Amino acid sequence: MGKWTIPSALILLCLLSLLSDQGRKLQANAKEGAVDPPKVEDNIGAVPHGLQTDSDVVKRESDSISSRSLRNNAEKFEFQAEVSRLMDIIINSLYSNKDIFLRELISNASDALDKIRFLSLTDKEVLGEGDTSKLEIQIKLDKEKKMLSLRDRGIGMTKEDLIKNLGTIAKSGTSAFVEKMQSTGDLNLIGQFGVGFYSVYLVADYVEVISKHNDDKQYVWESKADGAFAISEDTWNEPLGRGTEIRLHLRDEAQEYLEESKLKELVKKYSEFINFPIYIWASKEVDVEVPADEDESSDEESSDSTSSEEGEDEADKSEDEDTEKKKTVKETTYEWERLNDVKAIWLRSPKDVTNEEYVKFYHSLTKDFSDEKPMAWSHFTAEGDVEFKAVLFVPPKAPHNLYQSYYNSNKSNLKLYVRRVFISDEFDELLPKFLSFLMGLVDSDTLPLNVSREMLQAHSSLKTIKKKLVRKALDMIRRIAEEDPDEFSGKDEKDVEKSGDEDEKKGQYTKFWNEYGKSIKLGIIEDATNRNRLAKLLRFESTKSEGKLTSLDQYISRMKSGQKDIFYITGISKEQLEKSPFLERLKKKNYEVIFFTDPVDEYLMQYLMDYEGKQFQNVSKDGLKIGKDSKSRELKDSFKELTKWWKGTLKTEDVDEVKISNRLDNTPCVVVSSKFGWSANMERLMQAQTLTDASKQAYMRGKRILEINPRHPIIKELRERVVKDPEDEGVKQTAQLIYQTALMESGFILSDPKDFASRIYSSVKSSLNISPDATIEEEDDVEETETEPETKAGKDGADAESSDLKDEL
């Protein structure tokens, strides 16, 4: 025991010494000022919605970011070929406008929020509780990690969705966009093809997509855009509750997107009219009052004490003021700042919305961020049994595939909202197919919310909405024409001036017609109710339009006195039709003829029978009436023998009649179709059909009529020859050749081109005084020599010489 007594005493003395030193320090501190007790951090509420991450999570996150490599335990996948091709184009693109990535991410987030809100109409529980139920988009940046993140509380993605939507299965738009990109070099339309997500690789070299769906666990999708991606269950990030967070690890040359001002500018520019709140984690400097520094206080006290001696009361007052002295400093705080607080444009009065706002809203709605404005728009409110608000736009250009799958596509460009809740953009019943090129939205207060899309589509109110939308759409298109100065031919200059913005609106309807004219024609075919209103929108060239488009109203205003029919002709091109023999007499008598050169025009004129009491007459068909000819009866009688003989000669050619023509001037004869049969142009179109029915063609073709020009010298000479000798074979051959030539000039296809060529050659022989019995000189028969063996022998000899040379060497 004695051995341990001294060391124990020493240790006890050391402990007492340390405790006394610590006590003195505490007393000294107490004298200098009271120490604040430990407390909860003041900025705990600054974290969004009170969510915090522990230090281990932060460490693991930073390790992952610093390595920029796919996690080892993740499941690896290869990108689908088309997606890889698309990403290669984007990554290596020299496209300067990289800003589009943010608008595409926000647009996708908005779509995800729309989906979960629609599901919540029938099941409130899908939204969850608390913060998870808030439908919003949040943007956050981290300058230290060079990371930009965007989070939504939308529907989220399952593991299968991540694989399907972001990698292995290319959407239908991927190939179309790649082709468009390679031809135009413009990435600006990427959102219209459904592949906007991949625009993130314009600014990022590593992307993480964290997503949580109600029906699955939370997963992380990650890729370095090197042809592969990985997916793993997320056990290290903050639980999302539901939705998706996209983290972009920005390239060095894309650091500008870590500036708040830049992000605010982009949201304002592209996403101002998104229907969900968009927040950014923004910094803000605020003025904060803090106690003045001790040194400053002591200096002020010394100066005050030396200035003058005053009374006791004044000294006490000065002392109180000194103890309360404070100073103001700048302090940086962070909070969520909303960027899109503009009211939904369709809920506002049209008088309160500027043209610039309509254009911005159009770009946001259609994802078309080109510099071109929509041609026109219509913003209106319908009242009555069915109440709704709508905004319709005419895009500046027709979609690339507008008519490729016209009758097979159910896709509509109108978004349907019910009481500000997005329901669907797949209601093809809102507008007829011929107006499917229109963009816009409809917001109804009448339609029910809590029903399926199928039931809603069959709702009786949709028919009323459709009827009003069609009427407003046609009025909008009509206004384009009315406000176009080029359409004011024949009106007073004062009226033109009243239209306003003349330079901007000049030529707008011609532009509209070139883009969507086929849709108006299809509308005339499909919509009997609005056929006359659509006919007013028709435009075409004619013999008097001088290369410009004209309308039916303008045609009627130029009609000759006593003219009862509207004359038109169909064919391949205007240049070809201008030389047509069917126009000779009409031009001479100053009648105007419309040129229809679009293949759909043949179908159009089967439905458009009259306009404003005027009948349409195809000048290449039987039944054309051009005034009265006093000598018609005499001419008919004088050529009666020829017409009868010629019909008998052509009995094998399916010619129904040969008669005197009232439409020819310089041409000896033409072949016309029967009034209710196919025209020559229609026959050509039908024969070009892949699945055409030959038997039906023979029935619909109808009879052909040969019309002859009684004033032409060829016809007059032929009549004389027939009167002299009706059985002359030479005359019969000539008559057959004339008919075949007329058939071809009239636009018909020869059934036997070889026979026609033989008759031409016979005619050439006759003109060259070559005997019809002259034979072709036969070629001398020369025995063919077998050159192949000789070549082989020569080759063998050459090989032998080469072998000898090698031996000598």
Side-chain angles (χ1 to χ4, degrees), residues 409-564:
S409 174
N410 293 323
K411 179 69 174 175
S412 172
N413 289 319
L414 279 191
K415 296 181 182 293
L416 176 63
Y417 286 77
V418 175
R419 286 168 243 167
R420 270 63 69 201
V421 176
F422 174 72
I423 302 298
S424 175
D425 57 0
E426 298 177 359
F427 282 102
D428 56 342
E429 293 299 318
L430 282 175
L431 280 177
K433 285 189 179 294
F434 71 89
L435 290 177
S436 61
F437 63 87
L438 295 178
M439 303 279 189
L441 62 81
V442 177
D443 188 350
S444 172
D445 290 331
T446 309
L447 293 173
L449 271 172
N450 56 344
V451 292
S452 66
R453 298 186 184 190
E454 292 74 17
M455 292 176 64
L456 192 58
Q457 196 147 2
H459 199 277
S460 59
S461 298
L462 280 180
K463 294 181 180 179
T464 305
I465 293 175
K466 178 178 180 179
K467 183 178 179 180
K468 293 183 179 180
L469 286 174
V470 170
R471 187 173 71 249
K472 288 291 186 180
L474 296 183
D475 288 344
M476 173 176 59
I477 296 170
R478 176 179 52 79
R479 284 200 307 273
I480 300 176
E482 290 178 349
E483 295 174 359
D484 186 348
D486 288 347
E487 295 281 322
F488 285 100
S489 59
K491 293 191 177 183
D492 295 337
E493 293 182 2
K494 294 181 181 178
D495 295 334
V496 178
E497 291 174 1
K498 290 179 182 178
S499 65
D501 299 331
E502 184 175 339
D503 293 337
E504 185 178 345
K505 294 177 179 178
K506 187 177 178 64
Q508 276 292 90
Y509 195 75
T510 299
K511 180 182 176 182
F512 168 84
W513 185 256
N514 292 335
E515 294 289 336
Y516 305 109
K518 194 187 296 289
S519 293
I520 301 299
K521 295 174 182 178
L522 290 169
I524 292 175
I525 295 171
E526 298 169 5
D527 191 349
T529 305
N530 293 294
R531 188 163 291 154
N532 193 60
R533 300 180 72 188
L534 286 163
K536 288 184 178 293
L537 302 174
L538 274 178
R539 294 296 182 270
F540 42 78
E541 290 189 66
S542 72
T543 52
K544 290 187 178 180
S545 66
E546 299 178 351
K548 297 181 180 179
L549 294 178
T550 188
S551 66
L552 287 174
D553 288 330
Q554 291 170 339
Y555 178 96
I556 290 175
S557 69
R558 295 191 293 261
M559 285 176 65
K560 290 184 63 175
S561 175
Q563 180 181 344
K564 297 180 179 180

Side-chain angles (χ1 to χ4, degrees), residues 155-184:
I155 194 168
M157 287 181 279
T158 63
K159 179 181 179 182
E160 183 181 350
D161 291 336
L162 288 169
I163 298 171
K164 177 181 177 182
N165 296 336
L166 303 183
T168 58
I169 301 179
K171 302 241 180 129
S172 59
T174 306
S175 300
F177 174 71
V178 169
E179 293 173 6
K180 184 80 173 176
M181 172 62 191
Q182 289 181 330
S183 61
T184 64

Side-chain angles (χ1 to χ4, degrees), residues 622-640:
D622 186 32
L624 179 65
K625 296 177 182 179
I626 313 176
K628 293 183 179 180
D629 191 343
S630 58
K631 297 183 180 180
S632 60
R633 171 61 67 178
E634 297 176 10
L635 287 171
K636 187 176 181 180
D637 292 340
S638 64
F639 282 86
K640 186 175 182 180

